[in-house]
Amino acid sequence: MVELDRMRMRAYYERMEREGGFVSFCRMWLPEDIAGARVLDVGCRRGKGVYQISEHVGANGFVLGVDWSEPFLERARAGEAAALARSGLSASNMAFRFGWPEDLRVAEVADGSFDIAIANSVMNVAFDRQSAYAEIARALVPGGLFYYAAVVADGSPDENALQRACEHGDVVAAALPEEQLLAELRAAGFASCDVVERMERLDGARAARPIVVAARTLRAQ
């Protein structure tokens, strides 16, 4: 990523409204048994998903929450002790770091360092979705899984409306058609992309529906 793009990206996230519209809509979906796994939560917001994953991966696992909002990260860290008390873990198996979906190296995320990555529909308002998906693929081990709980649109997007939706952090109004989402994931390096769950349609600015996509990175040869 060139410096000019990094500067534009930083400005984009700093301008984005933290809450508005349907920005808080999310759904976490994980396999039943992830004990001992290393999990990356992209766009962790206030950390509620990280707390839940922490319980699932247990003492031998680890979960890293990455977000671009320092106030949200502060709230996530503030709730860590209470989350550990609820889970009964004697030592922390979680961390929160500042970073952008498009540049996870800022959060010290190395190549192939996670078994599973998750994100919810906050990715709809990312600065550069294609770069973000490619970064997530880079962070996963060969054959690793990306679980994406997304809101997708029934109709074709209007570019001006999409831009306004992103500025306001409205993930529903910023939703793309399912076919476009899956094509972007494949182009970013995910060998298979399967919709594993479909939910009821949402009432919002555009006709949209939530889905959960399981995307697997290329396996080692």
Side-chain angles (χ1 to χ4, degrees), residues 145-211:
L145 283 170
F146 173 35
Y147 290 99
Y148 183 24
V151 177
V152 293
D154 285 345
S156 298
D158 174 86
E159 291 302 322
N160 290 331
L162 282 178
Q163 182 177 352
R164 291 195 299 272
C166 288
E167 291 172 354
H168 291 289
D170 188 333
V171 300
V172 173
L176 299 175
E178 180 178 323
E179 298 76 13
Q180 182 174 345
L181 166 62
L182 297 179
E184 289 184 356
L185 287 168
R186 294 187 187 102
F190 292 97
S192 63
C193 302
D194 300 310
V195 178
V196 296
E197 186 173 351
R198 297 180 188 275
M199 287 160 272
E200 295 181 3
R201 188 184 307 274
L202 292 172
D203 293 323
R206 297 168 61 201
R209 63 188 184 282
I211 63 172

Side-chain angles (χ1 to χ4, degrees), residues 114-170:
F114 288 90
D115 306 302
I116 298 169
I118 70 164
N120 59 47
S121 47
V122 71
M123 297 290 286
N124 283 3
V125 296
F127 174 73
D128 184 334
R129 288 187 315 278
Q130 200 63 49
S131 295
Y133 297 145
E135 267 291 87
I136 291 170
R138 177 190 67 77
L140 289 170
V141 298
L145 283 170
F146 173 35
Y147 290 99
Y148 183 24
V151 177
V152 293
D154 285 345
S156 298
D158 174 86
E159 291 302 322
N160 290 331
L162 282 178
Q163 182 177 352
R164 291 195 299 272
C166 288
E167 291 172 354
H168 291 289
D170 188 333

Side-chain angles (χ1 to χ4, degrees), residues 77-123:
R77 295 183 187 111
E80 181 176 341
L84 290 172
R86 289 192 298 270
S87 67
L89 291 171
S90 59
S92 179
N93 62 351
M94 70 183 88
F96 297 95
R97 297 177 194 157
F98 177 89
W100 301 287
E102 299 84 356
D103 189 5
L104 295 171
R105 294 184 192 277
V106 171
E108 302 176 8
V109 175
D111 295 0
S113 53
F114 288 90
D115 306 302
I116 298 169
I118 70 164
N120 59 47
S121 47
V122 71
M123 297 290 286

